Amino acid sequence: MDYNAKPAVVIWEVTQACGLSCVHCRAEARPWRDPQELSTEEGLGLLDQVADSGAPLLVLTGGDPMERTDLERFVSHGVSRGLHMALSPSATAKVTREALIGLKKAGLHRVAVSLDSHLEEKHDAFRRVAGSYRRTLEIARDAREIGLPLQIGTTISNINARDLEAMARTVGELGVVLWSVFFLVPTGRAGSGMMISAAECEDVLTRLYDISRRVRFAIKTTEGPHYRRIAAQRTGRTSGSGINDGKGFAFISHRGDVYPSGFLPVRAGNVREQSLGSIYRDSPIFRSLRDASQFKGRCGLCEFKELCGGSRARAYAVTGDMLSEDPLCAYVPQQFGAPFTENRQ
């Protein structure tokens, strides 16, 4: 796919309302809905924009998308326009078996829920709601029993980085099709003190690749694009171009603002004023993120910059420059010529 022409994945934050209060929440979600969020009719029009942009996959997220009552309409309309529709709800009582059945009948392709530890008390502390762990397992069970493909998302932080193998076993027992591993970006409620170090990140990515060779489910990373570099080093297949913030990826806020990702709060336009396709293709912000020759520091010198590119969101969160090097990468490019020493302020 030509990522200059169209995105591969679009995420739509349908609302910021949510019953949880997670310590790392990108959206800094709150209990109430914003009166300025896109209406049902605007949302249906947005789905048309996504389809017209050429993107094959749309994920409905939040906040908690279950706080809206028009999700089945969105799913049905998106499917009618040829989109693969996925849903990422919060683990609350709103995600009933009946709700999942209705969404599946509307054409939902996949449901994704978060699980940040194999230990109940640790996960609930991360989500700041007692019972969140058990509710997640109940949702996973319901999805499996009604035949709705399940994805688990796990945010890697200094709270759970050492629990990777135990988490992989738990994820496998849930019958998932995909384990999506997020590497924390210090934005929203997430502080930089929650990040693991670059050396720890390298270790987690290496172990994650080893796990991927022996499990039956697929593994992908978010804001950890150097996972592709590790895979390339192992296999020797170093060519190709990977999805990254603004490169094959776009995020739309509840108010219609368009960003390179939900973790990179640099506004490129609004779908109420301009089409998603034109914002994605023509915005200077998106165009610069797809031009690896503009990357700075080790990312700019790295032989894997097209395949990996570093987390642009983390570079922005830590340095204020979205084109700077990713502070969570320990790799020393061949051109760099000097050992990498981590600066953890």
Coordinates of all heavy atoms in Angstrom, one line a residue, residues 117-194:
S117 N -2.2 -6.6 32.9 CA -1.5 -7.5 33.8 C -2.2 -8.8 33.9 O -3.4 -8.9 33.7 CB -1.3 -6.9 35.2 OG -0.7 -7.8 36.1
H118 N -1.5 -9.9 34.1 CA -2.1 -11.2 34.4 C -2.6 -11.3 35.8 O -3.3 -12.3 36.2 CB -1.1 -12.3 34.1 CG 0.1 -12.3 35.0 ND1 1.0 -11.3 35.1 CD2 0.5 -13.2 36.0 CE1 1.9 -11.5 36.0 NE2 1.6 -12.7 36.6
L119 N -2.3 -10.3 36.6 CA -2.7 -10.3 38.0 C -3.8 -9.3 38.2 O -3.8 -8.1 37.8 CB -1.5 -9.8 38.9 CG -0.3 -10.7 38.9 CD1 0.9 -10.1 39.7 CD2 -0.6 -12.1 39.4
E120 N -4.9 -9.7 38.8 CA -6.1 -8.9 38.9 C -5.9 -7.6 39.6 O -6.3 -6.5 39.2 CB -7.2 -9.7 39.7 CG -8.5 -9.0 39.9 CD -9.6 -9.9 40.5 OE1 -9.3 -11.1 40.8 OE2 -10.7 -9.4 40.7
E121 N -5.2 -7.6 40.8 CA -5.0 -6.4 41.6 C -4.1 -5.4 40.8 O -4.3 -4.2 40.9 CB -4.4 -6.7 42.9 CG -3.0 -7.4 42.9 CD -3.0 -8.9 42.8 OE1 -4.1 -9.5 42.4 OE2 -2.0 -9.5 43.0
K122 N -3.2 -5.9 40.1 CA -2.3 -5.0 39.3 C -3.0 -4.3 38.2 O -2.9 -3.1 37.9 CB -1.0 -5.7 38.8 CG 0.0 -4.8 38.2 CD 1.2 -5.6 37.7 CE 2.1 -6.0 38.9 NZ 3.4 -6.5 38.4
H123 N -3.8 -5.1 37.4 CA -4.6 -4.5 36.3 C -5.6 -3.5 36.9 O -5.8 -2.4 36.3 CB -5.3 -5.6 35.6 CG -6.3 -5.1 34.6 ND1 -6.0 -4.8 33.3 CD2 -7.6 -4.8 34.7 CE1 -7.0 -4.4 32.6 NE2 -8.0 -4.4 33.4
D124 N -6.4 -3.9 37.9 CA -7.4 -3.0 38.5 C -6.8 -1.7 39.0 O -7.4 -0.6 38.9 CB -8.2 -3.6 39.6 CG -9.1 -4.7 39.1 OD1 -9.2 -4.9 37.9 OD2 -9.8 -5.3 39.9
A125 N -5.6 -1.7 39.5 CA -4.9 -0.5 40.0 C -4.5 0.4 38.8 O -4.6 1.6 38.9 CB -3.6 -0.9 40.8
F126 N -4.1 -0.3 37.7 CA -3.8 0.5 36.5 C -5.0 1.2 35.9 O -4.9 2.3 35.4 CB -3.2 -0.5 35.5 CG -2.3 0.1 34.4 CD1 -1.1 0.8 34.7 CD2 -2.7 0.1 33.1 CE1 -0.3 1.3 33.8 CE2 -1.9 0.6 32.1 CZ -0.7 1.3 32.5
R127 N -6.2 0.5 36.0 CA -7.4 1.0 35.5 C -8.2 1.9 36.5 O -9.1 2.5 36.1 CB -8.3 -0.1 34.9 CG -7.6 -0.9 33.8 CD -7.7 -0.1 32.5 NE -6.7 -0.6 31.6 CZ -6.5 -0.1 30.3 NH1 -7.3 0.9 29.9 NH2 -5.6 -0.5 29.5
R128 N -7.8 1.8 37.7 CA -8.3 2.6 38.8 C -9.8 2.3 39.0 O -10.6 3.1 39.5 CB -8.1 4.1 38.6 CG -6.6 4.4 38.7 CD -6.4 5.8 39.1 NE -6.8 6.8 38.1 CZ -6.4 8.1 38.1 NH1 -5.6 8.5 39.1 NH2 -6.8 8.9 37.1
V129 N -10.2 1.0 38.7 CA -11.6 0.6 39.0 C -11.6 -0.8 39.4 O -11.1 -1.7 38.6 CB -12.5 0.8 37.7 CG1 -13.9 0.1 38.0 CG2 -12.7 2.2 37.4
A130 N -12.0 -1.1 40.6 CA -12.1 -2.5 41.1 C -13.1 -3.3 40.2 O -14.1 -2.8 39.8 CB -12.6 -2.5 42.5
G131 N -12.7 -4.5 39.9 CA -13.5 -5.4 39.0 C -13.2 -5.3 37.6 O -13.8 -6.0 36.8
S132 N -12.4 -4.4 37.1 CA -12.1 -4.2 35.7 C -11.5 -5.4 35.1 O -11.8 -5.8 34.0 CB -11.1 -3.0 35.5 OG -10.8 -2.8 34.2
Y133 N -10.6 -6.1 35.9 CA -10.0 -7.3 35.4 C -11.0 -8.4 35.1 O -11.0 -9.0 34.0 CB -9.0 -7.8 36.4 CG -8.2 -9.1 36.0 CD1 -7.1 -9.1 35.3 CD2 -8.7 -10.3 36.5 CE1 -6.4 -10.2 35.0 CE2 -8.1 -11.5 36.2 CZ -6.9 -11.5 35.4 OH -6.2 -12.6 35.1
R134 N -11.9 -8.7 36.0 CA -12.9 -9.7 35.8 C -13.9 -9.3 34.7 O -14.3 -10.2 33.9 CB -13.7 -9.9 37.1 CG -12.8 -10.5 38.3 CD -13.6 -10.8 39.5 NE -12.8 -11.3 40.6 CZ -13.2 -11.8 41.7 NH1 -14.5 -11.8 41.9 NH2 -12.4 -12.2 42.6
R135 N -14.2 -8.0 34.6 CA -15.1 -7.6 33.5 C -14.4 -7.8 32.1 O -15.1 -8.3 31.2 CB -15.4 -6.1 33.7 CG -16.4 -5.6 32.7 CD -17.9 -5.9 33.1 NE -18.3 -7.2 32.6 CZ -18.9 -7.4 31.4 NH1 -19.2 -6.3 30.7 NH2 -19.3 -8.5 31.0
T136 N -13.1 -7.6 32.1 CA -12.4 -7.8 30.8 C -12.5 -9.3 30.4 O -12.7 -9.7 29.3 CB -10.9 -7.4 31.0 OG1 -10.9 -6.0 31.2 CG2 -10.1 -7.7 29.7
L137 N -12.3 -10.2 31.4 CA -12.3 -11.6 31.1 C -13.7 -12.1 30.7 O -13.9 -12.9 29.9 CB -11.9 -12.4 32.3 CG -10.4 -12.2 32.8 CD1 -10.0 -13.2 33.9 CD2 -9.4 -12.3 31.6
E138 N -14.7 -11.4 31.3 CA -16.1 -11.8 30.9 C -16.4 -11.3 29.5 O -17.0 -12.1 28.7 CB -17.1 -11.1 31.9 CG -17.1 -11.6 33.3 CD -17.8 -10.8 34.3 OE1 -18.3 -9.7 33.9 OE2 -17.9 -11.2 35.5
I139 N -15.9 -10.1 29.1 CA -16.1 -9.7 27.7 C -15.4 -10.6 26.8 O -15.9 -11.0 25.7 CB -15.6 -8.2 27.6 CG1 -16.4 -7.3 28.4 CG2 -15.6 -7.8 26.1 CD1 -15.8 -5.9 28.6
A140 N -14.2 -11.0 27.1 CA -13.4 -11.9 26.3 C -14.2 -13.2 26.1 O -14.2 -13.8 25.0 CB -12.0 -12.2 26.9
R141 N -14.7 -13.8 27.2 CA -15.5 -15.0 27.1 C -16.7 -14.8 26.2 O -17.0 -15.7 25.4 CB -15.9 -15.4 28.5 CG -16.8 -16.7 28.6 CD -17.7 -16.7 29.8 NE -18.6 -15.5 29.8 CZ -19.1 -15.0 30.9 NH1 -18.8 -15.4 32.1 NH2 -20.0 -14.0 30.8
D142 N -17.4 -13.7 26.4 CA -18.6 -13.5 25.6 C -18.3 -13.4 24.1 O -18.9 -14.0 23.2 CB -19.4 -12.3 26.0 CG -20.1 -12.4 27.3 OD1 -20.3 -13.6 27.7 OD2 -20.4 -11.4 28.0
A143 N -17.2 -12.7 23.8 CA -16.8 -12.5 22.4 C -16.4 -13.9 21.8 O -16.8 -14.2 20.7 CB -15.6 -11.6 22.3
R144 N -15.7 -14.7 22.6 CA -15.3 -16.0 22.1 C -16.5 -16.9 21.8 O -16.6 -17.6 20.8 CB -14.4 -16.6 23.1 CG -13.8 -18.0 22.7 CD -12.7 -18.5 23.6 NE -13.2 -18.7 25.0 CZ -12.9 -17.9 26.0 NH1 -12.0 -16.9 25.8 NH2 -13.4 -18.1 27.2
E145 N -17.5 -16.9 22.7 CA -18.6 -17.7 22.6 C -19.6 -17.4 21.5 O -20.3 -18.2 20.9 CB -19.4 -17.8 24.0 CG -18.6 -18.5 25.1 CD -19.3 -18.5 26.4 OE1 -20.4 -17.9 26.5 OE2 -18.8 -19.2 27.3
I146 N -19.7 -16.1 21.2 CA -20.5 -15.7 20.1 C -19.8 -15.6 18.7 O -20.4 -15.3 17.7 CB -21.2 -14.3 20.3 CG1 -20.2 -13.2 20.3 CG2 -22.0 -14.3 21.6 CD1 -20.8 -11.8 20.4
G147 N -18.5 -16.0 18.7 CA -17.8 -16.0 17.5 C -17.3 -14.7 17.0 O -17.1 -14.5 15.8
L148 N -17.1 -13.7 17.9 CA -16.6 -12.4 17.5 C -15.1 -12.4 17.7 O -14.6 -12.5 18.9 CB -17.3 -11.3 18.3 CG -17.0 -9.9 17.9 CD1 -17.3 -9.6 16.5 CD2 -17.7 -8.9 18.9
P149 N -14.2 -12.2 16.7 CA -12.8 -12.2 16.9 C -12.3 -11.2 17.9 O -12.8 -10.1 18.0 CB -12.3 -11.8 15.5 CG -13.3 -12.3 14.6 CD -14.6 -12.1 15.3
L150 N -11.4 -11.6 18.8 CA -11.0 -10.9 20.0 C -9.5 -10.4 19.8 O -8.7 -11.2 19.5 CB -11.2 -11.7 21.2 CG -10.7 -11.1 22.5 CD1 -11.5 -9.9 23.0 CD2 -10.6 -12.2 23.6
Q151 N -9.3 -9.2 20.2 CA -8.0 -8.6 20.3 C -7.7 -8.1 21.7 O -8.6 -7.5 22.3 CB -7.8 -7.5 19.3 CG -6.5 -6.7 19.3 CD -6.5 -5.6 18.2 OE1 -6.9 -5.8 17.1 NE2 -6.0 -4.5 18.6
I152 N -6.6 -8.4 22.2 CA -6.2 -7.8 23.5 C -5.1 -6.8 23.4 O -4.1 -7.0 22.6 CB -5.7 -9.0 24.5 CG1 -6.8 -9.9 24.9 CG2 -5.0 -8.4 25.7 CD1 -7.9 -9.3 25.8
G153 N -5.3 -5.7 24.0 CA -4.3 -4.6 24.1 C -3.6 -4.5 25.4 O -4.3 -4.5 26.4
T154 N -2.3 -4.4 25.4 CA -1.6 -4.3 26.7 C -0.6 -3.1 26.6 O 0.2 -3.0 25.6 CB -0.8 -5.6 27.0 OG1 -1.6 -6.7 27.1 CG2 0.1 -5.4 28.2
T155 N -0.7 -2.2 27.5 CA 0.2 -1.1 27.6 C 1.4 -1.4 28.4 O 1.3 -1.7 29.6 CB -0.4 0.2 28.2 OG1 -1.5 0.6 27.3 CG2 0.5 1.3 28.2
I156 N 2.6 -1.4 27.8 CA 3.9 -1.7 28.5 C 4.4 -0.5 29.3 O 4.6 0.6 28.7 CB 4.9 -2.2 27.6 CG1 4.5 -3.5 26.9 CG2 6.3 -2.4 28.3 CD1 4.3 -4.7 27.8
S157 N 4.6 -0.6 30.6 CA 5.1 0.5 31.4 C 6.0 -0.2 32.4 O 6.2 -1.4 32.4 CB 3.9 1.2 32.1 OG 3.3 0.4 33.1
N158 N 6.5 0.7 33.3 CA 7.4 0.1 34.4 C 6.6 -0.7 35.4 O 7.2 -1.4 36.2 CB 8.2 1.2 35.1 CG 7.3 2.3 35.7 OD1 6.1 2.1 35.8 ND2 7.8 3.4 36.1
I159 N 5.3 -0.8 35.2 CA 4.5 -1.6 36.1 C 4.5 -3.1 35.7 O 4.4 -3.9 36.6 CB 3.0 -1.0 36.1 CG1 3.0 0.4 36.7 CG2 2.1 -1.9 36.9 CD1 1.7 1.1 36.6
N160 N 4.6 -3.3 34.4 CA 4.3 -4.7 34.0 C 5.4 -5.2 33.0 O 5.2 -6.3 32.5 CB 3.0 -4.8 33.3 CG 2.8 -3.9 32.1 OD1 3.8 -3.3 31.7 ND2 1.6 -3.9 31.5
A161 N 6.5 -4.5 32.7 CA 7.4 -4.9 31.7 C 8.1 -6.3 32.0 O 8.5 -7.0 31.1 CB 8.5 -3.8 31.6
R162 N 8.2 -6.6 33.3 CA 8.8 -7.9 33.6 C 7.8 -9.1 33.6 O 8.2 -10.2 33.8 CB 9.4 -7.8 35.0 CG 10.6 -6.8 35.1 CD 11.2 -6.8 36.5 NE 12.3 -5.9 36.6 CZ 12.3 -4.6 36.8 NH1 11.1 -4.0 37.0 NH2 13.4 -3.9 36.9
D163 N 6.5 -8.8 33.3 CA 5.5 -9.8 33.3 C 5.2 -10.3 31.9 O 4.1 -10.9 31.7 CB 4.2 -9.3 34.0 CG 4.5 -8.8 35.4 OD1 5.4 -9.2 36.0 OD2 3.7 -7.9 35.8
L164 N 6.0 -10.1 30.9 CA 5.7 -10.4 29.5 C 5.3 -11.8 29.3 O 4.2 -12.1 28.6 CB 6.8 -10.0 28.6 CG 6.5 -9.6 27.2 CD1 5.6 -8.4 27.1 CD2 7.7 -9.4 26.4
E165 N 6.0 -12.8 29.7 CA 5.8 -14.2 29.5 C 4.4 -14.6 30.1 O 3.6 -15.3 29.5 CB 6.9 -15.0 30.0 CG 8.1 -15.0 29.1 CD 8.9 -13.8 29.2 OE1 8.7 -13.0 30.2 OE2 9.8 -13.5 28.3
A166 N 4.2 -14.1 31.4 CA 2.9 -14.5 32.0 C 1.8 -13.9 31.3 O 0.7 -14.5 31.2 CB 3.0 -14.0 33.5
M167 N 1.9 -12.6 30.8 CA 0.9 -12.0 30.1 C 0.6 -12.7 28.8 O -0.6 -12.9 28.4 CB 1.3 -10.5 29.7 CG 0.9 -9.5 30.8 SD -0.8 -9.4 31.1 CE -1.5 -9.1 29.5
A168 N 1.6 -13.2 28.1 CA 1.4 -13.9 26.9 C 0.7 -15.2 27.1 O -0.2 -15.6 26.3 CB 2.8 -14.3 26.2
R169 N 0.9 -15.9 28.2 CA 0.1 -17.1 28.5 C -1.3 -16.8 28.8 O -2.2 -17.5 28.3 CB 0.7 -17.8 29.8 CG 2.1 -18.5 29.5 CD 2.4 -19.4 30.7 NE 2.7 -18.6 31.9 CZ 3.8 -18.1 32.3 NH1 4.9 -18.3 31.5 NH2 4.0 -17.5 33.4
T170 N -1.6 -15.7 29.5 CA -3.0 -15.3 29.8 C -3.7 -14.9 28.5 O -4.8 -15.3 28.3 CB -3.0 -14.1 30.8 OG1 -2.4 -14.5 32.0 CG2 -4.4 -13.6 31.0
V171 N -3.0 -14.1 27.6 CA -3.6 -13.7 26.4 C -3.9 -15.0 25.5 O -5.0 -15.0 24.9 CB -2.6 -12.8 25.6 CG1 -3.1 -12.6 24.2 CG2 -2.6 -11.4 26.3
G172 N -3.0 -15.9 25.5 CA -3.2 -17.1 24.7 C -4.4 -17.9 25.2 O -5.2 -18.5 24.4
E173 N -4.6 -17.9 26.5 CA -5.8 -18.7 27.1 C -7.1 -18.0 26.7 O -8.2 -18.7 26.8 CB -5.6 -18.7 28.6 CG -4.4 -19.6 29.1 CD -4.1 -19.5 30.5 OE1 -4.7 -18.6 31.2 OE2 -3.2 -20.2 31.0
L174 N -7.1 -16.8 26.4 CA -8.3 -16.0 26.0 C -8.8 -16.3 24.6 O -9.8 -15.9 24.2 CB -8.2 -14.5 26.3 CG -7.9 -14.1 27.7 CD1 -7.7 -12.6 27.8 CD2 -9.1 -14.5 28.6
G175 N -7.9 -17.0 23.8 CA -8.3 -17.3 22.4 C -8.3 -16.1 21.5 O -9.2 -16.0 20.6
V176 N -7.3 -15.2 21.6 CA -7.3 -14.0 20.8 C -6.7 -14.3 19.4 O -6.1 -15.3 19.2 CB -6.4 -12.9 21.5 CG1 -6.9 -12.6 22.9 CG2 -4.9 -13.4 21.5
V177 N -7.1 -13.4 18.5 CA -6.5 -13.5 17.2 C -5.3 -12.5 17.1 O -4.4 -12.7 16.2 CB -7.5 -13.1 16.1 CG1 -8.6 -14.1 16.0 CG2 -8.1 -11.7 16.3
L178 N -5.2 -11.5 18.0 CA -4.1 -10.6 17.9 C -3.8 -10.0 19.3 O -4.8 -9.7 20.1 CB -4.5 -9.4 17.0 CG -3.4 -8.3 16.9 CD1 -2.2 -8.7 16.2 CD2 -4.0 -7.1 16.1
W179 N -2.6 -9.9 19.7 CA -2.1 -9.2 20.9 C -1.5 -7.9 20.4 O -0.4 -7.9 19.7 CB -1.1 -10.1 21.6 CG -0.8 -9.5 23.0 CD1 -1.4 -8.6 23.7 CD2 0.4 -9.9 23.8 NE1 -0.8 -8.4 24.9 CE2 0.3 -9.2 25.0 CE3 1.4 -10.8 23.6 CZ2 1.3 -9.3 26.0 CZ3 2.4 -10.9 24.6 CH2 2.3 -10.2 25.7
S180 N -2.1 -6.8 20.8 CA -1.6 -5.5 20.4 C -0.9 -4.9 21.6 O -1.5 -4.6 22.6 CB -2.7 -4.6 20.0 OG -2.2 -3.3 19.6
V181 N 0.5 -4.7 21.5 CA 1.3 -4.3 22.6 C 1.7 -2.8 22.4 O 2.3 -2.5 21.5 CB 2.5 -5.2 22.8 CG1 3.4 -4.8 24.0 CG2 2.2 -6.7 22.9
F182 N 1.2 -2.0 23.3 CA 1.4 -0.6 23.3 C 2.6 -0.2 24.2 O 2.7 -0.7 25.3 CB 0.2 0.2 23.8 CG -1.0 0.1 23.0 CD1 -1.8 -1.0 22.9 CD2 -1.5 1.2 22.2 CE1 -2.9 -1.1 22.1 CE2 -2.6 1.1 21.5 CZ -3.4 -0.1 21.4
F183 N 3.4 0.7 23.7 CA 4.6 1.2 24.5 C 4.2 2.6 24.9 O 4.1 3.5 24.0 CB 5.9 1.1 23.7 CG 6.4 -0.3 23.6 CD1 5.8 -1.2 22.6 CD2 7.4 -0.8 24.4 CE1 6.2 -2.5 22.6 CE2 7.8 -2.1 24.3 CZ 7.2 -3.0 23.4
L184 N 4.2 2.8 26.2 CA 3.6 4.0 26.7 C 4.3 5.3 26.2 O 5.5 5.4 26.1 CB 3.8 4.0 28.3 CG 3.1 5.1 29.0 CD1 2.4 4.6 30.3 CD2 4.1 6.1 29.5
V185 N 3.4 6.3 25.9 CA 3.9 7.6 25.5 C 3.4 8.5 26.6 O 2.2 8.5 27.0 CB 3.2 8.0 24.1 CG1 3.6 9.5 23.8 CG2 3.7 7.1 23.0
P186 N 4.3 9.4 27.1 CA 3.9 10.3 28.2 C 3.1 11.4 27.8 O 3.5 12.6 27.6 CB 5.2 10.7 28.8 CG 6.2 10.6 27.7 CD 5.7 9.5 26.9
T187 N 1.8 11.2 27.5 CA 0.8 12.2 27.1 C -0.5 11.9 27.9 O -0.7 10.8 28.3 CB 0.6 12.2 25.6 OG1 -0.2 13.3 25.2 CG2 -0.1 10.9 25.1
G188 N -1.4 12.9 28.0 CA -2.6 12.7 28.7 C -2.2 12.5 30.2 O -1.5 13.3 30.8
R189 N -2.8 11.5 30.8 CA -2.5 11.2 32.2 C -1.1 10.5 32.5 O -0.7 10.4 33.6 CB -3.6 10.4 32.9 CG -4.9 11.1 33.0 CD -5.8 10.4 34.0 NE -7.2 10.9 33.9 CZ -8.2 10.2 33.4 NH1 -8.0 9.0 32.9 NH2 -9.4 10.8 33.3
A190 N -0.6 10.0 31.4 CA 0.6 9.2 31.6 C 1.8 10.1 31.8 O 2.1 11.0 30.9 CB 0.8 8.3 30.3
G191 N 2.6 9.8 32.8 CA 3.8 10.6 33.1 C 5.0 9.9 32.6 O 5.0 8.7 32.4
S192 N 6.1 10.7 32.4 CA 7.3 10.1 31.8 C 7.9 9.1 32.8 O 8.7 8.2 32.4 CB 8.3 11.2 31.5 OG 8.6 12.0 32.7
G193 N 7.6 9.2 34.1 CA 8.1 8.3 35.1 C 7.5 6.9 34.9 O 8.1 5.9 35.5
M194 N 6.5 6.7 34.1 CA 5.9 5.4 33.9 C 6.6 4.7 32.8 O 6.4 3.5 32.6 CB 4.4 5.6 33.6 CG 3.5 6.2 34.7 SD 1.8 6.4 34.2 CE 1.3 4.7 33.9

